[in-house]
Amino acid sequence: MRIAHLLTVGLFLQAMAGAAVADQEPPLYDYDKPTAYAEFINLKGEHIGRAELIQGPHGLLIMLELENVAEGSGFHGIHIHARGDCSLPEEGFPRAGLHAHGTNGGQKHGLMHPEGPHAGDLPSIYVHDGILRYELFTTFASLDGSVGTNIMHPTRGASLIIHENPDDHYTQPVGGAGDPIACAEIKLN
Ligand SMILES: [Cu+2]
């Protein structure tokens, strides 16, 4: 009887503690910074996934979730390009522009180039059987100019481009990454 009573009190206290934690749980990020999203399409114009972009106090987090990116597995270059225009997919997104760069970014392409990098340069991604789940982080670009270059040009916008080959982070103009295979216009929430 007594043990049962203690158990009941214990469960009740546990429930109260759980409720209190839930009530007081702070938001994931308790600062006022912009967020954005980007829907990827392939060269056929088909939707293949999404990126969530969150501006933090030290840089930009880019969370990628994609399927049917490419046949098989391998590394692919990915960059922030200087125009938010993924039209003409069958022509390789010619309106997405060059890599985003700015006064505080380098003038040459490549994370490993002494005169680089462009603000839009990023580490390459590895796609496994066409699928990608990955988080990228950059201090060279931001959604508001608070860290590195503001990629969200008021009229041109910006896009994320995935290339057919890996980026060697040095060769001009795109690190040998080849043609684009997917594009996503970055849109502020
Ligand atoms: Cu690129």
Side-chain angles (χ1 to χ4, degrees):
M1 182 70 183
R2 186 162 194 158
I3 287 168
H5 178 69
L6 283 172
L7 276 174
T8 308
V9 170
L11 285 173
F12 174 73
L13 286 174
Q14 259 186 358
M16 289 296 288
V21 166
D23 286 346
Q24 292 170 10
E25 195 152 13
L28 187 54
Y29 303 112
D30 62 349
Y31 46 77
D32 188 20
K33 293 270 188 197
T35 60
Y37 67 95
E39 303 284 354
F40 279 89
I41 54 170
N42 63 14
L43 295 171
K44 294 178 189 162
E46 298 163 338
H47 183 253
I48 56 164
R50 181 178 165 97
E52 299 283 345
L53 298 91
I54 302 174
Q55 185 59 50
H58 315 295
L60 178 62
L61 185 66
I62 304 171
M63 296 177 288
L64 298 161
E65 198 164 328
L66 294 116
E67 304 202 346
N68 302 314
V69 180
E71 294 278 317
S73 305
F75 281 100
H76 295 269
I78 180 170
H79 316 115
I80 302 164
H81 283 233
R83 285 180 175 273
D85 186 344
C86 293
S87 61
L88 302 173
E90 67 285 352
E91 294 177 29
F93 315 106
R95 295 179 182 157
L98 303 171
H99 297 166
H101 67 283
T103 50
N104 53 348
Q107 295 307 302
K108 296 228 164 142
H109 167 76
L111 291 172
M112 303 304 285
H113 196 290
E115 292 161 46
H118 287 150
D121 290 351
L122 295 165
S124 295
I125 51 175
Y126 185 83
V127 174
H128 180 79
D129 284 343
I131 296 170
L132 177 76
R133 302 277 186 280
Y134 200 62
E135 290 185 340
L136 291 162
F137 187 80
T138 177
T139 58
F140 298 115
S142 63
L143 297 175
D144 58 1
S146 61
V147 183
T149 297
N150 184 355
I151 53 162
M152 297 310 294
H153 188 277
T155 53
R156 292 195 313 266
S159 58
L160 282 163
I161 289 269
I162 298 173
H163 290 261
E164 59 183 344
N165 300 318
D167 184 341
D168 64 20
H169 306 300
Y170 193 87
T171 309
Q172 303 307 302
V174 294
D179 291 332
I181 57 169
C183 181
E185 297 170 5
I186 300 173
K187 298 189 167 144
L188 288 169
N189 285 312

